[in-house]
Amino acid sequence: MKFVMDDEKCLSYFTPQPEHQSYNGMMHGGLVAVILDEVTGNYLFRKEGKQTYTAKIEIRYRQPLITGEEVLCIGQELRRKGRMVEMRGQIMKEDGTVLAKSTSKMIIGE
């Protein structure tokens, strides 16, 4: 995945391939979780220039990611207390339909 910053968000486009599927034509949920973790962690890495570590992540799967369909992945900061940062991740279709979203707490390394 390639990540870019846009205002206060980290963005990446991703197209699930057959090797990412669990059931016919649908991306494995564990890999969906990896994408959400990566887009939120990359936001902080690009903004802070330091490694970040996921302390907690909660994921809401709304619709399956279909192989061959490009999706937009977004990571953004919600709030911060010291080195602990609450993040939001989203994966959506081109029309704006949210397929999966996450809320996570991440720790910025020293």
Side-chain angles (χ1 to χ4, degrees):
M1 295 178 71
K2 294 182 181 178
F3 301 95
V4 296
M5 293 295 285
D6 176 20
D7 296 326
E8 292 298 314
K9 298 177 196 157
C10 182
L11 307 171
S12 182
Y13 287 92
F14 182 76
T15 304
Q17 300 299 308
E19 60 267 21
H20 301 126
Q21 70 185 350
S22 176
Y23 296 108
N24 291 337
M26 294 184 283
M27 187 170 177
H28 189 283
L31 297 175
V32 173
V34 169
I35 289 174
L36 290 164
D37 190 46
E38 285 296 311
V39 77
T40 53
N42 268 278
Y43 169 90
L44 289 169
F45 179 74
R46 289 172 183 278
K47 187 171 183 180
E48 306 288 329
K50 297 180 180 178
Q51 293 180 348
T52 59
Y53 307 94
T54 305
K56 179 180 177 180
I57 187 167
E58 184 176 318
I59 300 166
R60 172 80 168 108
Y61 299 93
R62 301 179 67 125
Q63 292 184 23
L65 277 69
I66 305 301
T67 56
E69 292 185 8
E70 185 179 63
V71 294
L72 173 61
C73 311
I74 303 170
Q76 62 190 117
E77 183 176 327
L78 297 176
R79 56 190 131 288
R80 175 184 297 237
K81 184 174 182 180
R83 291 180 27 223
M84 183 73 71
V85 183
E86 187 174 346
M87 299 292 299
R88 175 186 303 139
Q90 293 185 76
I91 301 174
M92 61 182 62
K93 293 165 90 172
E94 185 179 337
D95 68 4
T97 302
V98 176
L99 304 174
K101 60 183 179 177
S102 68
T103 303
S104 58
K105 292 189 178 180
M106 307 196 78
I107 300 169
I108 298 173
E110 295 182 24

